[in-house]
Short mmCIF file of all heavy atoms in Angstrom, two decimals:
data_model
loop_
_atom_site.label_atom_id
_atom_site.label_comp_id
_atom_site.label_asym_id
_atom_site.label_seq_id
_atom_site.Cartn_x
_atom_site.Cartn_y
_atom_site.Cartn_z
N SER X 43 4.59 -15.37 -3.93
CA SER X 43 5.18 -14.04 -3.60
C SER X 43 4.23 -12.87 -4.16
O SER X 43 4.41 -11.74 -3.65
CB SER X 43 6.61 -13.90 -4.18
OG SER X 43 6.53 -14.04 -5.56
N LEU X 51 -3.71 -4.92 -6.43
CA LEU X 51 -4.01 -4.39 -7.78
C LEU X 51 -5.49 -4.58 -8.08
O LEU X 51 -6.17 -3.74 -8.63
CB LEU X 51 -3.15 -5.11 -8.78
CG LEU X 51 -3.33 -4.71 -10.26
CD1 LEU X 51 -3.05 -3.26 -10.49
CD2 LEU X 51 -2.43 -5.57 -11.14
N ILE X 52 -5.98 -5.79 -7.72
CA ILE X 52 -7.39 -6.06 -7.97
C ILE X 52 -8.27 -5.08 -7.24
O ILE X 52 -9.27 -4.54 -7.79
CB ILE X 52 -7.75 -7.50 -7.57
CG1 ILE X 52 -7.12 -8.51 -8.54
CG2 ILE X 52 -9.29 -7.75 -7.45
CD1 ILE X 52 -7.25 -9.92 -8.19
N GLN X 70 -27.02 11.01 -5.97
CA GLN X 70 -25.83 11.59 -5.33
C GLN X 70 -25.77 11.21 -3.85
O GLN X 70 -24.71 10.94 -3.34
CB GLN X 70 -25.90 13.13 -5.46
CG GLN X 70 -24.55 13.75 -4.93
CD GLN X 70 -24.47 15.22 -5.19
OE1 GLN X 70 -25.47 15.90 -5.38
NE2 GLN X 70 -23.23 15.77 -5.28
N VAL X 74 -22.34 9.34 -2.48
CA VAL X 74 -21.41 9.91 -1.52
C VAL X 74 -21.19 8.94 -0.32
O VAL X 74 -20.09 8.80 0.22
CB VAL X 74 -21.77 11.31 -1.05
CG1 VAL X 74 -21.71 12.32 -2.17
CG2 VAL X 74 -23.12 11.33 -0.34
N GLU X 95 -7.48 8.90 -2.13
CA GLU X 95 -8.07 9.34 -3.41
C GLU X 95 -9.56 9.34 -3.36
O GLU X 95 -10.18 10.29 -3.88
CB GLU X 95 -7.55 8.31 -4.50
CG GLU X 95 -6.09 8.51 -4.95
CD GLU X 95 -5.58 7.44 -5.83
OE1 GLU X 95 -6.44 6.58 -6.23
OE2 GLU X 95 -4.43 7.30 -6.06
N GLY X 102 -14.41 16.69 -2.73
CA GLY X 102 -14.67 17.56 -3.87
C GLY X 102 -16.14 17.60 -4.24
O GLY X 102 -16.67 18.68 -4.61
N LEU X 118 -12.86 14.45 5.47
CA LEU X 118 -11.70 15.08 6.04
C LEU X 118 -11.11 14.28 7.19
O LEU X 118 -9.92 14.22 7.32
CB LEU X 118 -12.16 16.47 6.54
CG LEU X 118 -12.56 17.42 5.46
CD1 LEU X 118 -13.11 18.77 6.05
CD2 LEU X 118 -11.42 17.81 4.46
N GLY X 166 0.74 12.18 20.86
CA GLY X 166 1.47 11.08 21.42
C GLY X 166 2.63 10.63 20.58
O GLY X 166 3.76 10.41 21.05
N LEU X 171 3.15 14.04 25.52
CA LEU X 171 2.17 13.22 26.21
C LEU X 171 1.13 14.06 27.00
O LEU X 171 0.06 13.62 27.17
CB LEU X 171 2.93 12.20 27.10
CG LEU X 171 3.84 11.27 26.42
CD1 LEU X 171 4.30 10.20 27.44
CD2 LEU X 171 3.18 10.62 25.21
N GLU X 176 -4.65 15.42 27.31
CA GLU X 176 -5.71 16.50 27.26
C GLU X 176 -6.66 16.12 26.14
O GLU X 176 -7.90 16.30 26.25
CB GLU X 176 -5.06 17.83 27.15
CG GLU X 176 -4.39 18.38 28.40
CD GLU X 176 -3.81 19.78 28.18
OE1 GLU X 176 -4.16 20.39 27.18
OE2 GLU X 176 -3.07 20.20 29.07
N SER X 177 -6.14 15.83 24.96
CA SER X 177 -7.01 15.52 23.81
C SER X 177 -7.77 14.22 24.06
O SER X 177 -8.99 14.20 23.72
CB SER X 177 -6.10 15.31 22.57
OG SER X 177 -5.63 16.57 22.12
N ASP X 187 -21.48 10.99 27.09
CA ASP X 187 -22.94 11.12 27.23
C ASP X 187 -23.73 10.54 26.08
O ASP X 187 -24.91 10.54 26.13
CB ASP X 187 -23.31 12.61 27.37
CG ASP X 187 -22.81 13.21 28.66
OD1 ASP X 187 -22.58 12.44 29.66
OD2 ASP X 187 -22.51 14.42 28.70
N VAL X 197 -10.56 5.36 22.90
CA VAL X 197 -9.85 6.37 23.69
C VAL X 197 -9.13 5.68 24.87
O VAL X 197 -8.03 6.01 25.24
CB VAL X 197 -10.80 7.54 24.15
CG1 VAL X 197 -10.05 8.51 24.92
CG2 VAL X 197 -11.47 8.13 22.99
N GLY X 229 -17.50 -7.87 18.75
CA GLY X 229 -16.79 -8.70 17.67
C GLY X 229 -15.96 -7.81 16.76
O GLY X 229 -15.79 -8.16 15.60
N ILE X 234 -9.69 -5.56 18.83
CA ILE X 234 -9.18 -6.71 19.56
C ILE X 234 -7.68 -6.93 19.32
O ILE X 234 -6.91 -7.14 20.23
CB ILE X 234 -10.04 -7.97 19.30
CG1 ILE X 234 -11.43 -7.81 19.90
CG2 ILE X 234 -9.32 -9.20 19.89
CD1 ILE X 234 -12.41 -8.94 19.40
N VAL X 258 0.89 -10.99 21.92
CA VAL X 258 1.18 -10.52 20.54
C VAL X 258 0.79 -11.57 19.51
O VAL X 258 0.40 -11.24 18.42
CB VAL X 258 2.67 -10.09 20.37
CG1 VAL X 258 3.58 -11.26 20.21
CG2 VAL X 258 2.83 -9.12 19.25
N ALA X 264 -5.51 -12.10 15.12
CA ALA X 264 -6.63 -11.25 14.87
C ALA X 264 -6.49 -10.35 13.66
O ALA X 264 -7.36 -10.08 12.83
CB ALA X 264 -6.95 -10.43 16.08
N GLN X 272 -1.94 -2.54 9.13
CA GLN X 272 -1.30 -1.57 10.03
C GLN X 272 -0.93 -2.16 11.34
O GLN X 272 0.25 -2.13 11.83
CB GLN X 272 -2.25 -0.38 10.24
CG GLN X 272 -1.73 0.65 11.17
CD GLN X 272 -0.72 1.61 10.48
OE1 GLN X 272 -0.59 1.61 9.37
NE2 GLN X 272 -0.04 2.47 11.32
N ILE X 279 6.74 -6.01 14.94
CA ILE X 279 7.78 -5.25 15.62
C ILE X 279 7.89 -5.71 17.12
O ILE X 279 8.94 -5.96 17.64
CB ILE X 279 7.50 -3.70 15.61
CG1 ILE X 279 7.97 -3.18 14.23
CG2 ILE X 279 8.28 -2.99 16.69
CD1 ILE X 279 7.80 -1.70 14.06
N PHE X 291 18.02 -13.95 18.16
CA PHE X 291 18.25 -12.87 17.21
C PHE X 291 17.89 -13.25 15.78
O PHE X 291 17.54 -12.35 14.96
CB PHE X 291 19.71 -12.36 17.29
CG PHE X 291 20.07 -11.91 18.67
CD1 PHE X 291 21.04 -12.50 19.42
CD2 PHE X 291 19.39 -10.85 19.26
CE1 PHE X 291 21.37 -12.09 20.69
CE2 PHE X 291 19.69 -10.40 20.55
CZ PHE X 291 20.70 -11.02 21.25
N ASN X 295 15.26 -10.98 13.82
CA ASN X 295 15.49 -10.35 12.53
C ASN X 295 14.44 -10.71 11.51
O ASN X 295 14.07 -9.81 10.64
CB ASN X 295 16.88 -10.76 12.03
CG ASN X 295 17.49 -9.74 11.03
OD1 ASN X 295 17.51 -8.60 11.30
ND2 ASN X 295 17.97 -10.26 9.95
N ALA X 301 7.97 -6.85 9.44
CA ALA X 301 7.37 -5.57 9.77
C ALA X 301 7.85 -4.54 8.72
O ALA X 301 6.99 -3.65 8.30
CB ALA X 301 7.92 -5.17 11.13
N GLU X 316 11.23 2.41 13.46
CA GLU X 316 11.31 1.54 14.54
C GLU X 316 12.01 0.18 14.15
O GLU X 316 12.70 -0.42 14.93
CB GLU X 316 9.91 1.24 15.09
CG GLU X 316 9.83 0.42 16.36
CD GLU X 316 10.43 1.10 17.57
OE1 GLU X 316 10.89 2.23 17.45
OE2 GLU X 316 10.43 0.52 18.65
N LEU X 344 15.32 9.25 10.84
CA LEU X 344 13.84 9.22 10.38
C LEU X 344 12.91 9.72 11.49
O LEU X 344 11.90 10.35 11.21
CB LEU X 344 13.54 7.72 10.03
CG LEU X 344 14.30 7.20 8.80
CD1 LEU X 344 13.95 5.72 8.61
CD2 LEU X 344 13.84 7.99 7.51
N ALA X 395 15.17 5.77 35.74
CA ALA X 395 15.96 4.93 36.69
C ALA X 395 16.97 4.06 36.03
O ALA X 395 18.13 3.94 36.43
CB ALA X 395 14.98 4.12 37.56
N ILE X 400 22.77 3.03 34.59
CA ILE X 400 23.79 2.71 33.60
C ILE X 400 24.88 3.79 33.60
O ILE X 400 26.11 3.54 33.57
CB ILE X 400 23.20 2.52 32.16
CG1 ILE X 400 22.33 1.33 32.17
CG2 ILE X 400 24.29 2.40 31.14
CD1 ILE X 400 21.49 1.18 30.86
#
Side-chain angles (χ1 to χ4, degrees):
S43 61
L51 179 59
I52 288 173
Q70 187 173 23
V74 296
E95 287 171 10
L118 295 172
L171 299 189
E176 288 181 11
S177 289
D187 294 333
V197 181
I234 290 170
V258 79
Q272 178 80 10
I279 281 183
F291 301 118
N295 204 48
E316 186 67 359
L344 293 174
I400 294 171

